[in-house]
Amino acid sequence: MNPDMDKILLFGDSITQYSSDQDLTFALAPALQHLYQRKMDILVRGYSGYNTDQAVQFFHHILEHEKGIKLVVIFFGSNDSATNEQHVPLDRYKANLEKLAQQAVDRGIKVILTGPAPHDELARREMFKDEPGVNPRSSQLQKRYSEAACEVALKMGLPSTNLWHAFATDAGWEPGMPFPSTVEGEGNEHETSVTKYLKDGLHFAGPGYKVWYDELVKVIGERYPGLSAENLPMVMPLWREFYGTS
Amino acid sequence: MNPDMDKILLFGDSITQYSSDQDLTFALAPALQHLYQRKMDILVRGYSGYNTDQAVQFFHHILEHEKGIKLVVIFFGSNDSATNEQHVPLDRYKANLEKLAQQAVDRGIKVILTGPAPHDELARREMFKDEPGVNPRSSQLQKRYSEAACEVALKMGLPSTNLWHAFATDAGWEPGMPFPSTVEGEGNEHETSVTKYLKDGLHFAGPGYKVWYDELVKVIGERYPGLSAENLPMVMPLWREFYGTS
């Protein structure tokens, strides 16, 4: 009769930090918490604006402080791939992700790596129409960083979720078509839009978190079936069985 | 630069266990988690069907296992007040609540006590219309247990939330009127209904969790202002300040 709960850690930037916001109609963290009720805790560690240069400096501390972390979802790249002062060059992004993943692996913690989703240039242009300037983000850069995260995972034998591909595919995009929601693609007959997945062109709306949730649950089932909610027993006996009778 | 997070523990029965379900349109745990983002973790420890006789047997284990618990919301009574095998007599319910609260107080953890909300007899009658039998719950009993939880809190100098009163008042009920959503009150011109707060006459719907959320945030602000989200600093520096520059 042990009430201890193991944990799934969500580690990332603002998209992780805001992942409990029900006003979006669907939020990732509570969806996982509901799925894993009486089975695992979902621990949210998201830091708005952070890149992997910052993450590598304190991730180990979280792993040492919290008991029972069995799985960590590492999701960075939306800031690393920006061309402003948040930028981390692609090679260093990959090296940082590898460091983060290795710190978890060394502690026996399972890992899922995730790079950035698409960017909605058209939504950002609308948002910042009164503040003209260079948008530091693009779907093209985010796609490269997303693929880089998958390459790091492949090299380390770890699973990954490619949210760029998942969002774009769900929106009807296919390779060879203009990138979704880009200035270049605007008005093109094969144009696709990822607007509904993003609330401001960058942060996730409900449908974006839902795609991420579906991808996560799928990859856990495929690669870590022992951590799949359906395969985990409930913590503590059912009330009728509590006293050893049924 | 310390990423450790303190915790608010939600300890209770099924109403706590199901408190992350966004399908209800509003769920308590993510609402708190969003309010306390980068400030506190919300830890859900709810056990469907449990009463305080069961809770007292393992609560100390949770308090010892989890680091950084600063506040615990203890919410039992919906099962204790039932007249079936889940029943715990009123005096023992009060003694159990006092034991639970004292275990937290002894560890320097702040406590908010909560007893049951109203019961919707009319909804339960409809639900079980093909399985006639004695409904083991009533609003009258749940009101007594709710008041008992408040009495224990008052005796110990702790804050409480009276959800029975909060739901009923929000529904327009006033003392002297028939109890809301009761067979006795049915058709009475002063009848009030708590149907919208409960999804099956017992477990909370979105509006029920919203009333609980509002009551909790209010009592934290009044009695534990140091734990109010607005008074807590964000954990970890803002990204622009991370390297000591602003």
Side-chain angles (χ1 to χ4, degrees):
Chain A
M1 205 168 68
N2 182 347
D4 296 348
M5 295 270 277
D6 287 332
K7 298 180 172 80
I8 295 175
L9 171 64
L10 306 180
F11 182 57
D13 56 32
S14 54
I15 297 168
T16 298
Q17 181 177 333
Y18 305 153
S19 67
S20 300
D21 184 2
Q22 301 171 91
D23 283 349
L24 302 173
T25 68
F26 185 95
L28 177 72
L32 290 171
Q33 191 65 74
H34 188 60
L35 180 68
Y36 281 92
Q37 61 181 274
R38 292 272 292 273
K39 295 180 175 182
M40 305 265 277
D41 287 324
I42 310 303
L43 214 57
V44 180
R45 291 289 179 277
Y47 308 88
S48 172
Y50 278 39
N51 58 26
T52 55
D53 276 352
Q54 293 164 325
V56 291
Q57 295 183 49
F58 64 93
F59 182 50
H60 63 98
H61 192 110
I62 299 172
L63 300 182
E64 278 153 26
H65 180 77
E66 289 292 342
K67 291 183 187 173
I69 299 175
K70 296 298 176 196
L71 170 66
V72 57
V73 177
I74 300 174
F75 177 17
F76 283 96
S78 302
N79 298 314
D80 301 64
S81 64
T83 53
N84 62 1
E85 66 266 52
Q86 292 165 292
H87 184 66
V88 174
L90 193 65
D91 282 348
R92 199 162 79 224
Y93 170 70
K94 291 171 72 171
N96 285 341
L97 275 189
E98 189 167 340
K99 266 186 225 172
L100 294 170
Q102 194 61 48
Q103 286 178 357
V105 167
D106 288 346
R107 288 168 174 83
I109 297 169
K110 301 201 180 329
V111 177
I112 297 173
L113 287 181
T114 304
H119 181 69
D120 187 338
E121 289 178 8
L122 304 177
R124 295 297 266 195
R125 189 179 60 184
E126 180 63 21
M127 239 181 108
F128 295 114
K129 64 184 173 190
D130 298 327
E131 313 167 60
V134 178
N135 183 347
R137 291 181 170 81
S138 82
S139 252
Q140 186 147 2
L141 277 172
Q142 293 191 195
K143 186 170 189 283
R144 287 182 61 196
Y145 278 69
S146 180
E147 287 165 355
C150 294
E151 287 162 27
V152 172
L154 195 63
K155 178 184 164 196
M156 298 181 74
L158 298 171
S160 58
T161 53
N162 186 330
L163 292 188
W164 199 99
H165 194 260
F167 280 32
T169 302
D170 202 67
W173 179 84
E174 289 172 26
M177 288 164 64
F179 272 26
S181 300
T182 50
V183 173
E184 294 81 15
E186 196 178 15
N188 185 302
E189 71 168 312
H190 294 297
E191 188 193 2
T192 49
S193 170
V194 289
T195 300
K196 76 168 180 173
Y197 305 101
L198 304 164
K199 71 175 181 175
D200 56 8
L202 171 62
H203 298 99
F204 291 6
Y209 281 117
K210 180 64 166 66
V211 170
W212 186 14
Y213 172 81
D214 289 341
E215 290 289 312
L216 261 186
V217 170
K218 190 177 74 176
V219 80
I220 292 171
E222 287 170 0
R223 298 289 298 270
Y224 302 130
L227 292 179
S228 188
E230 63 193 18
N231 294 333
L232 288 170
M234 277 230 182
V235 167
M236 296 298 287
L238 296 180
W239 72 268
R240 287 182 186 279
E241 295 163 357
F242 190 91
Y243 299 105
T245 58
S246 63
Chain B
M1 206 168 69
N2 182 345
D4 296 347
M5 295 269 278
D6 287 332
K7 299 181 172 79
I8 295 174
L9 172 64
L10 305 179
F11 182 58
D13 56 32
S14 54
I15 297 169
T16 298
Q17 181 176 333
Y18 305 153
S19 66
S20 300
D21 184 2
Q22 301 172 91
D23 283 349
L24 302 172
T25 69
F26 185 95
L28 176 73
L32 290 171
Q33 191 64 76
H34 188 60
L35 180 68
Y36 281 91
Q37 60 179 277
R38 293 274 291 275
K39 295 181 176 182
M40 305 264 277
D41 287 324
I42 309 304
L43 214 57
V44 180
R45 291 289 180 278
Y47 308 89
S48 172
Y50 279 37
N51 59 26
T52 55
D53 276 351
Q54 293 164 324
V56 292
Q57 296 184 47
F58 65 93
F59 182 50
H60 62 98
H61 192 111
I62 298 172
L63 299 182
E64 278 152 27
H65 180 76
E66 290 292 341
K67 290 183 188 173
I69 299 175
K70 296 296 177 197
L71 170 66
V72 57
V73 177
I74 300 174
F75 176 18
F76 283 95
S78 302
N79 299 314
D80 300 63
S81 63
T83 53
N84 62 1
E85 66 267 52
Q86 293 164 291
H87 184 67
V88 175
L90 193 64
D91 282 347
R92 198 162 79 222
Y93 169 70
K94 292 171 73 170
N96 285 341
L97 276 189
E98 188 167 342
K99 266 186 227 172
L100 294 170
Q102 193 61 48
Q103 287 179 357
V105 167
D106 288 346
R107 289 167 173 85
I109 298 170
K110 300 200 179 334
V111 177
I112 297 172
L113 287 181
T114 304
H119 181 70
D120 187 338
E121 287 180 9
L122 304 176
R124 296 295 270 195
R125 187 180 60 185
E126 180 62 21
M127 240 181 107
F128 296 112
K129 64 185 174 189
D130 297 327
E131 312 167 61
V134 178
N135 183 347
R137 290 181 172 80
S138 81
S139 252
Q140 185 147 2
L141 277 173
Q142 294 191 194
K143 186 168 188 283
R144 286 182 62 197
Y145 278 69
S146 180
E147 287 165 355
C150 295
E151 288 163 25
V152 172
L154 195 64
K155 178 185 163 196
M156 297 181 74
L158 298 171
S160 58
T161 54
N162 186 329
L163 292 188
W164 199 98
H165 194 260
F167 281 32
T169 302
D170 201 68
W173 179 84
E174 290 172 27
M177 287 164 63
F179 272 25
S181 301
T182 49
V183 173
E184 295 82 13
E186 196 177 15
N188 185 303
E189 69 170 313
H190 295 296
E191 187 193 2
T192 50
S193 170
V194 289
T195 300
K196 74 168 181 173
Y197 306 100
L198 305 164
K199 70 175 183 177
D200 56 8
L202 171 61
H203 298 98
F204 290 7
Y209 281 117
K210 181 64 166 65
V211 170
W212 187 12
Y213 171 81
D214 289 340
E215 291 289 313
L216 260 186
V217 170
K218 190 177 72 175
V219 80
I220 291 171
E222 288 170 357
R223 299 290 298 270
Y224 302 131
L227 291 179
S228 187
E230 62 192 20
N231 294 332
L232 287 170
M234 277 230 182
V235 167
M236 295 299 286
L238 296 179
W239 71 269
R240 287 182 186 278
E241 295 163 358
F242 190 91
Y243 298 107
T245 58
S246 63

